Amino acid sequence: MVDERDTRHGAHAAEDDDTAAVARPSGKRSARRSRSADSGSVATIDRPTSTKAAKKTDRAERKTGNPFKRLIKFLREVVAELRKVIWPNRKQMVTYTSVVLVFVVFMVAFISGLDLAFIKGVNWLFG
């Protein structure tokens, strides 16, 4: 198979390679840039002029309001997040629990064996 770049000669090949490299997509970031550039809008992030001002506004927002209202809001957000969780069924739960228990028993036996081996080695070496 002959690459078409091999068949070209001279300065035209270099120019074509440069334009081909520019035309090729290089990943998701460039695709996002091209979409936003095509629409004519530029995404900007509004940032405060100093980090101290941002910290002050964050503190002010946290301290305003009744603590009971904040607690209720927190609990509602927790419940909302827990509804998004995909809970395992009973079979999956038994499988996952047994895998964890077998792994823990194996690791306890392995580390205990290493501990005993090091104790015997130290006792043999230093008597």
Side-chain angles (χ1 to χ4, degrees), residues 1-2 14 17 19-21 38-39 61 63-64 66 71 79 92 94-96 105 107 109 114:
M1 182 173 166
V2 177
D17 287 342
T19 57
D38 292 341
S39 64
E61 288 174 5
K63 292 189 178 187
T64 58
N66 188 352
L71 179 64
V79 170
Q92 290 172 330
V94 169
T95 303
Y96 298 156
V105 167
M107 290 306 294
L114 283 176

Side-chain angles (χ1 to χ4, degrees), residues 5-107:
R5 285 182 279 167
D6 294 337
T7 59
R8 294 187 213 135
H9 300 287
H12 295 295
E15 290 174 9
D16 290 340
D17 287 342
D18 291 340
T19 57
V22 171
R24 291 184 191 139
S26 61
K28 290 183 179 179
R29 291 182 187 255
S30 63
R32 287 183 191 149
R33 280 190 213 131
S34 65
R35 268 189 260 136
S36 64
D38 292 341
S39 64
S41 63
V42 178
T44 59
I45 299 173
D46 295 331
R47 293 189 177 128
T49 55
S50 69
T51 56
K52 290 180 183 179
K55 288 180 184 178
K56 286 181 183 177
T57 57
D58 288 344
R59 287 184 195 146
E61 288 174 5
R62 277 188 263 151
K63 292 189 178 187
T64 58
N66 188 352
F68 292 110
K69 286 183 180 178
R70 288 187 292 158
L71 179 64
I72 290 171
K73 180 183 176 188
F74 173 74
L75 292 175
R76 283 184 184 157
E77 290 175 357
V78 167
V79 170
E81 287 297 320
L82 287 176
R83 285 185 181 147
K84 296 177 187 177
V85 173
I86 300 172
W87 296 98
N89 59 24
R90 185 175 181 86
K91 183 180 177 183
Q92 290 172 330
M93 201 64 184
V94 169
T95 303
Y96 298 156
T97 304
S98 61
V99 166
V100 168
L101 289 176
V102 167
F103 180 75
V104 167
V105 167
F106 171 77
M107 290 306 294

